Amino acid sequence: MIKLNLKTSIAGKDFEHPIFNASGPKCITREELEEIGVSRSAGIMAKSCTIKPRDGNPSPRHFDFCGGAIGSYGLPNLGYKKYLEIFPQLKSYCKPIIASVSGMSIEENQTIISEFSKVSEIDLIELNISCPNIIGKPQVGYDFDYSKKMIAEIGKVCKKPLGLKLPPYFDFAHFNTMAKIINNSKVSFVTCINSVGNGLYVDFENECTVIKPKKGFGGVGGIIKPFGLANVRKFRELLRDDINIVGVGGIFTGKDVFEYLLCGADAVQIGTAFMQSNTQIFEKLLLEFKQVIQDKEYTRLSQFKNKLKEI
Ligand code: DHB
């Protein structure tokens, strides 16, 4: 059998293959992070953290529907100090460790990121500027002036490769504005897309909302793949070549993984599909992805990455 080389890298960090977990589901506690460590996930990504521990929004705060899910968890996490203790304990899994940061202000993000910068076991830092579920806080990624300031101020203290978790953009003018900001910054990778914020799912039978926070409005995952692919494709066209792209949104099969790479992603993250199953999902996706590559008679990612044809 022909040997496949699935290796990829993000900001100079090597990944054995391009599939790992998204910040969000089942990556809050040490036990959950250890489970990801023993799984076939190519990296260990943690839940976005804040200065203080948070319980998050009231329940029910998650609802699965056909093809996707809606949720408004409200950043439940252990607080960054706990992750300073946990990350070094994950090194034995020998895969990249990615911290996600979602402080409530520039200052909070600076505090967390300066401390994370001192932890040698952390490989990459993803700054989340797109959380849609904090009551009373708009998504930073839709405020371009504030995003520019945030990125510049974080760049001053971050000593690790810095990534940005972006919200989905829907207008080419907005892609252009954000790409210009990123191209003129120290950001070395982007992750797109976060859940499509403020969706509303209706329980037809009972004529009511399905989640409690924010009067039923929440981030939608799963059925968002066309937007995820579009954001990856557009940012690949607009960003500097040395800025890596991690695709996320609606990946349930190996074919989905392939499509993201075809659109220009260097790696992918798994959110809703992981939420709806368990760590076996990484093995399943990896096997399916390998099969797709073999069927198409490729042997390494560079043969099809960013090679989507236009008709
Ligand atoms: C949450 C949701 C997000 O989409 C995100 O980026 C961060 C946090 C949440 O509800 O916990």
Side-chain angles (χ1 to χ4, degrees):
M1 201 169 72
I2 302 161
K3 188 135 175 47
L4 300 182
N5 179 354
L6 300 184
K7 287 195 172 64
T8 190
S9 71
I10 301 169
K13 301 290 173 182
D14 294 329
F15 287 66
E16 191 195 325
H17 65 77
I19 306 166
F20 59 102
N21 70 300
S23 180
K26 302 175 186 171
C27 57
I28 297 176
T29 64
R30 179 179 156 180
E31 292 72 24
E32 287 172 335
L33 292 164
E34 284 173 345
E35 268 199 59
I36 295 166
V38 298
S39 80
R40 293 307 308 275
S41 175
I44 308 176
M45 173 96 208
K47 174 76 179 168
S48 297
C49 69
T50 50
I51 294 273
K52 293 256 180 312
R54 289 171 61 92
D55 291 334
N57 292 338
S59 293
R61 57 191 190 185
H62 175 89
F63 183 85
D64 288 313
F65 54 82
C66 184
I70 185 168
S72 181
Y73 320 97
L75 278 172
N77 77 93
L78 306 177
Y80 82 100
K81 286 189 181 154
K82 199 78 197 161
Y83 294 103
L84 286 173
E85 287 169 28
I86 294 174
F87 287 134
Q89 297 166 357
L90 302 173
K91 208 55 210 170
S92 59
Y93 299 108
C94 298
K95 48 177 90 167
I97 294 172
I98 310 117
S100 173
V101 178
S102 194
M104 297 293 146
S105 65
I106 291 177
E107 293 70 30
E108 288 194 11
N109 282 328
Q110 278 187 320
T111 302
I112 299 170
I113 288 176
S114 330
E115 289 303 309
F116 281 175
S117 288
K118 297 177 197 159
V119 180
S120 62
E121 290 84 359
I122 297 176
D123 293 289
L124 304 168
I125 296 178
E126 193 179 87
L127 174 66
N128 183 355
I129 60 165
S130 48
C131 175
N133 298 335
I134 300 303
I135 293 158
K137 288 256 175 202
Q139 281 162 275
V140 170
Y142 288 133
D143 180 336
F144 297 108
D145 291 337
Y146 189 59
S147 291
K148 190 173 170 183
K149 187 157 178 246
M150 170 80 84
I151 295 163
E153 294 300 317
I154 297 309
K156 288 180 192 166
V157 301
C158 187
K159 304 279 182 274
K160 302 267 181 190
L162 177 67
L164 279 185
K165 176 88 170 266
L166 299 171
Y169 296 102
F170 308 108
D171 193 288
F172 285 175
H174 296 152
F175 282 109
N176 288 332
T177 308
M178 189 41 104
K180 204 166 156 193
I181 294 169
I182 295 168
N183 281 335
N184 289 315
S185 76
K186 280 177 32 183
V187 167
S188 49
F189 70 99
V190 298
T191 302
C192 46
I193 55 175
N194 206 326
S195 52
V196 174
N198 298 318
L200 185 64
Y201 192 88
V202 170
D203 177 343
F204 168 79
E205 207 57 44
N206 296 302
E207 303 177 13
C208 64
T209 55
V210 295
I211 56 171
K212 182 122 188 113
K214 287 181 77 176
K215 300 182 174 184
F217 288 76
V220 175
I223 55 166
I224 62 175
K225 190 178 73 169
F227 300 105
L229 293 173
N231 275 254
V232 167
R233 174 88 168 145
K234 199 68 188 160
F235 277 116
R236 188 62 288 158
E237 177 193 324
L238 298 172
L239 291 179
R240 290 190 336 246
D241 286 348
D242 62 308
I243 297 176
N244 292 121
I245 300 185
V246 183
V248 51
I251 296 174
F252 292 96
T253 68
K255 284 185 181 175
D256 298 327
V257 177
F258 181 84
E259 288 177 11
Y260 266 96
L261 269 70
L262 195 63
C263 287
D266 298 290
V268 297
Q269 295 175 352
I270 313 303
T272 300
F274 178 32
M275 178 75 121
Q276 293 177 338
S277 55
N278 54 46
T279 53
Q280 286 290 315
I281 189 74
F282 302 109
E283 167 117 51
K284 174 194 120 67
L285 289 169
L286 187 56
L287 289 173
E288 288 177 3
F289 180 53
K290 281 182 181 168
Q291 192 62 55
V292 169
I293 294 179
Q294 270 171 348
D295 291 349
K296 286 180 174 280
E297 299 184 350
Y298 293 123
T299 52
R300 55 181 194 279
L301 308 185
S302 60
Q303 292 166 330
F304 57 88
K305 197 165 76 177
N306 196 25
K307 291 199 163 42
L308 179 70
K309 293 180 279 228
E310 288 171 28
I311 57 163

